[in-house]
Amino acid sequence: MRVSGQTDRLASSVVTPDRAVATLTDDVRAGLLSRPRWLPAKYFYDDHGSELFEAICATPEYYPSRAEEALLAAHVGSIVEAASPDHMLELGSGSSRKTRHLLAACDRLGRHPVYWPFDVSAQMMLDAGADLVGRYPWLSVHALIGDYTGGLGRLPLPHSGRRLIVFLGGTLGNFEPAAAIAMLREIAALMRADDRLLLGLDRVKDRGRLEAAYDDAEGVTAAFNRNVLTVINRELDADFPVADYRHRAVFDTEHERIEMRLAAGHDHSVRLGALDTFIDMAAGEEIVTEFSHKFTPASIERLLAAAGLVATAHHEAEGGDYSLVVAGRADADG
Ligand code: SAH
Ligand code: AVI
């Protein structure tokens, strides 16, 4: 792995999971050999997929990233003041681009937390860490490489000091409802009375805008979606005809989620070399590749409550497009 511009202020460690995490082989066996066929969304994020996600954020249709950044820019002072962090842990930090607002506000307010990004996409995270230590001479970055679905119980954060846990981008929406609550409970378990969670969540809105955000005219999201098949071809000696799969993004009103799918363009058989098997795909047959849940103020409150958390501030984008929520433990005094 390339670590550009490494200084003594940029360290990294591989996170030891609390519990066994399924391998790509396990997931492909469970997801592609069953009906409906599915794949976990985390496999989008190889180096190329991480770059494609950044390109999605720049498309005119993908409003969530801009909406979240605008909310951060507007409210970052009060968020940092309330949290007064000594340690900032960010789940699914990616390029850490929006995190700069938080770090700049920390600097303005004379708080100099250690930054702990945690991501499965190591190269993107290390490049981001190198950039951040270059920007902020006071900053120490400790990058945590791993899969956060393996648990948060063994992170090497020191016990003392106030924590701000950051989970941006609406990424919690990529969890199914029960898993989202379980994840928030694990986050709550890391928090003491004064600690804060900063959570970005996308909101339910009209189907047209939602589906366009996940099917941009330039085809960047389509390329991101198909990239998961390229990952499987490379890692599992498979031969998906990647270009022949059609990208689909459908809003499911009942479950309040966008479903991304890949539809086979024609009848074909796919070799899964590492699993020593084949699957037969019929023309039009779909693989579900991602859920992206959308929320309402009421569903956000319920989600937090189910995890023992309560909102201490809720910043909403104009028209209710997006929510940036600051939360603390519900059992904290005051
Ligand atoms: N927070 C950034 C990036 C969001 S994209 C933003 O708001 O722009 C989602 C990020 O979560 C990616 O960087 C991806 O690599 C990471 N990710 C997805 N699943 C993960 C997992 N299971 N464990 C750790 N990181 C994961
Ligand atoms: C990272 N995650 C919140 C994005 C989302 O909107 O669900 C991933 C994404 N998928 C397609 N476009 C963006």
Side-chain angles (χ1 to χ4, degrees), residues 41 44-45 53 56-57 62 64 168-174 202 213-215 221 224-225 247 258 260 290-294 322:
F44 286 132
Y45 299 97
F53 176 74
I56 287 174
C57 293
Y62 194 73
L168 296 178
T171 305
L172 188 71
N174 297 135
D202 195 12
Y214 289 82
D215 194 7
T221 310
F224 174 75
N225 196 5
H247 166 68
I258 283 281
M260 285 216 312
E290 185 180 63
F291 292 141
S292 192
H293 291 84
K294 308 301 166 187
Y322 199 88

Side-chain angles (χ1 to χ4, degrees), residues 9 11 66 134 149 243 268 281 301 308:
R9 293 185 287 112
R66 279 185 297 278
T149 63
H268 63 284
M281 295 293 299
E301 242 178 74

Side-chain angles (χ1 to χ4, degrees), residues 42 45 53 92-94 98 119-121 146-149 168-169 171:
K42 68 182 175 196
Y45 299 97
F53 176 74
S93 51
K98 285 170 285 183
D119 207 292
V120 76
S121 181
D147 179 341
Y148 47 52
T149 63
L168 296 178
T171 305

Side-chain angles (χ1 to χ4, degrees), residues 117-314:
F118 183 2
D119 207 292
V120 76
S121 181
Q123 191 62 56
M124 172 70 84
M125 180 168 51
L126 292 171
D127 289 347
D131 175 76
L132 289 174
V133 296
R135 278 171 195 268
Y136 304 105
W138 50 267
L139 182 66
S140 289
V141 175
H142 191 133
L144 302 170
I145 301 166
D147 179 341
Y148 47 52
T149 63
L152 307 177
R154 298 191 195 184
L155 304 184
L157 266 76
H159 286 284
S160 61
R162 288 180 69 166
R163 294 171 175 178
L164 172 61
I165 300 174
V166 179
F167 203 3
L168 296 178
T171 305
L172 188 71
N174 297 135
F175 290 64
E176 294 203 50
I181 293 170
M183 184 67 181
L184 284 180
R185 286 200 179 128
E186 293 200 59
I187 291 172
L190 290 181
M191 294 167 63
R192 286 155 301 206
D194 288 339
D195 295 343
R196 291 289 177 265
L197 166 66
L198 177 64
L199 183 63
L201 292 173
D202 195 12
R203 296 272 290 269
V204 172
K205 56 184 61 62
D206 73 87
R207 169 189 293 276
R209 280 187 68 210
L210 280 168
E211 291 184 350
Y214 289 82
D215 194 7
D216 61 280
E218 221 189 307
V220 184
T221 310
F224 174 75
N225 196 5
R226 289 192 193 98
N227 185 53
V228 74
L229 299 183
T230 306
V231 169
I232 292 171
N233 281 353
R234 184 181 64 229
E235 303 293 327
L236 298 184
D237 182 26
D239 63 355
F240 277 102
V242 177
D244 296 345
Y245 275 76
R246 193 161 65 84
H247 166 68
R248 299 202 59 215
V250 181
F251 186 58
D252 174 340
T253 43
E254 187 195 337
H255 296 100
E256 299 187 322
R257 68 189 181 202
I258 283 281
E259 290 188 16
M260 285 216 312
R261 306 179 195 154
L262 287 167
H266 54 87
D267 291 351
H268 63 284
S269 183
V270 179
R271 183 187 78 243
L272 296 170
L275 278 70
D276 204 15
T277 191
F278 288 83
I279 53 171
D280 290 322
M281 295 293 299
E285 194 177 344
E286 294 184 333
I287 302 170
V288 176
T289 51
E290 185 180 63
F291 292 141
S292 192
H293 291 84
K294 308 301 166 187
F295 297 85
T296 62
S299 68
I300 292 172
E301 242 178 74
R302 282 197 300 275
L303 178 66
L304 292 173
L309 293 164
V310 65
T312 56
H314 187 155

Side-chain angles (χ1 to χ4, degrees), residues 13-132:
S13 29
V14 173
V15 173
T16 311
D18 298 343
R19 48 186 176 261
V21 177
T23 62
L24 175 61
T25 310
D26 297 336
D27 281 328
V28 164
R29 189 174 283 119
L32 284 189
L33 304 186
S34 64
R35 306 293 171 87
R37 301 191 200 270
W38 57 273
L39 287 168
K42 68 182 175 196
Y43 297 117
F44 286 132
Y45 299 97
D46 65 346
D47 290 352
H48 184 52
S50 295
E51 282 162 16
L52 285 171
F53 176 74
E54 286 305 298
I56 287 174
C57 293
T59 62
E61 294 91 342
Y62 194 73
Y63 63 85
S65 199
R66 279 185 297 278
E68 184 174 67
E69 183 155 12
L71 286 173
L72 269 174
H75 301 288
V76 78
S78 68
I79 293 168
V80 167
E81 220 163 332
S84 290
D86 298 297
H87 297 280
M88 199 162 94
L89 167 67
E90 180 168 10
L91 304 173
S93 51
S95 68
S96 301
R97 202 173 39 80
K98 285 170 285 183
T99 318
R100 286 188 219 152
H101 291 280
L102 290 162
L103 293 171
C106 285
D107 198 21
R108 284 195 295 276
L109 293 164
R111 296 245 35 129
H112 289 159
V114 178
Y115 177 47
W116 304 79
F118 183 2
D119 207 292
V120 76
S121 181
Q123 191 62 56
M124 172 70 84
M125 180 168 51
L126 292 171
D127 289 347
D131 175 76
L132 289 174

